Amino acid sequence: MGLIKNILIFLLIIANLTFSQIRNTEQKLRIAQNFENLQDWEKAAKIYEELYQTDSLNVVIFEALLRSYDQLKLYNDAIRIINTQIKVRPRDIGLLSQLGKMYARNGNSEKAIDAWEKAVSIDPRNLSVYNIVANSMIESRLIEQAIKIYQKGRVLHGDPTLFAADIGYLHSVMMNFTEA
């Protein structure tokens, strides 16, 4: 009877500690989000980094830290955490697209294109892959590359009308009105 009582007390203590840790994480997350809303990216990033060290698999924390690094132009740090996530999810097209975007923003267009091509190669028959990658390229102001990725999708699918509106729009942005 005494052993069962001790086990129950032990379990209650562990549950209480776990609950307080969860509550502490939620409080820190809210504080960081408030700093983010105030556009105090340095303070937000510092808290997100602490949270990321304790829970690197939490997608909300990862995305928030990535946003902070992007705002602070800490592209090497962004690339580092994206690569750690890719080790866990190597076939994640979104992660590879984000990696390409960070490489592009960091001035390494060769590695950016490699990341984007790898993303497309994961599931080339999936039309949404081309949209995801092209949007990442557009965010990186690589309009010509986005057009090429859409054209690659057209060729692979054997449909010359595929992505017509997207390609037309991108040509018009570049003031290639005859191509549009």
Side-chain angles (χ1 to χ4, degrees):
M1 194 72 163
L3 180 63
I4 294 173
K5 183 178 175 184
N6 287 338
I7 290 173
L8 285 174
I9 291 172
F10 177 74
L11 290 174
L12 284 172
I13 291 171
I14 288 180
N16 190 32
L17 287 173
T18 303
F19 180 73
S20 66
Q21 285 175 338
I22 291 170
R23 193 173 39 204
N24 187 31
T25 299
E26 289 173 354
Q27 287 173 341
K28 282 184 176 180
L29 187 58
R30 274 195 299 276
I31 291 168
Q33 288 168 338
N34 285 334
F35 282 128
E36 192 173 344
N37 289 335
L38 295 170
Q39 297 187 351
D40 190 340
W41 296 103
E42 289 178 8
K43 288 180 182 174
K46 192 170 198 163
I47 296 170
Y48 287 138
E49 284 171 343
E50 289 175 26
L51 293 169
Y52 187 75
Q53 286 176 1
T54 60
D55 189 4
S56 63
L57 297 179
N58 185 317
V59 176
V60 172
I61 294 169
F62 165 73
E63 291 288 337
L65 182 56
L66 186 60
R67 256 190 329 272
S68 297
Y69 284 158
D70 190 18
Q71 289 294 321
L72 293 168
K73 297 179 179 20
L74 298 173
Y75 303 124
N76 287 330
D77 290 329
I79 290 166
R80 176 183 48 79
I81 66 166
I82 292 169
N83 278 322
T84 59
Q85 293 297 309
I86 288 173
K87 288 178 186 170
V88 178
R89 300 174 288 171
R91 297 182 54 81
D92 189 316
I93 294 161
L95 281 175
L96 288 165
S97 291
Q98 288 178 323
L99 181 63
K101 183 169 54 176
M102 290 303 135
Y103 275 129
R105 289 184 179 176
N106 202 27
N108 193 337
S109 57
E110 188 176 305
K111 282 192 174 184
I113 291 168
D114 287 345
W116 288 321
E117 286 180 1
K118 185 175 181 182
V120 170
S121 73
I122 288 173
D123 193 4
R125 302 297 304 166
N126 184 344
L127 295 179
S128 65
V129 170
Y130 297 93
N131 285 318
I132 293 167
V133 171
N135 285 331
S136 182
M137 291 171 163
I138 292 165
E139 287 180 40
S140 302
R141 295 180 180 88
L142 297 172
I143 307 300
E144 290 177 12
Q145 292 297 81
I147 292 169
K148 287 179 185 176
I149 209 71
Y150 280 133
Q151 290 171 335
K152 184 177 184 176
R154 274 183 170 179
V155 170
L156 183 75
H157 287 270
D159 184 353
T161 62
L162 199 59
F163 307 118
D166 298 303
I167 292 171
Y169 170 74
L170 293 176
H171 276 299
S172 70
V173 166
M174 298 200 46
M175 296 189 191
N176 296 334
F177 299 115
T178 54
E179 293 291 325

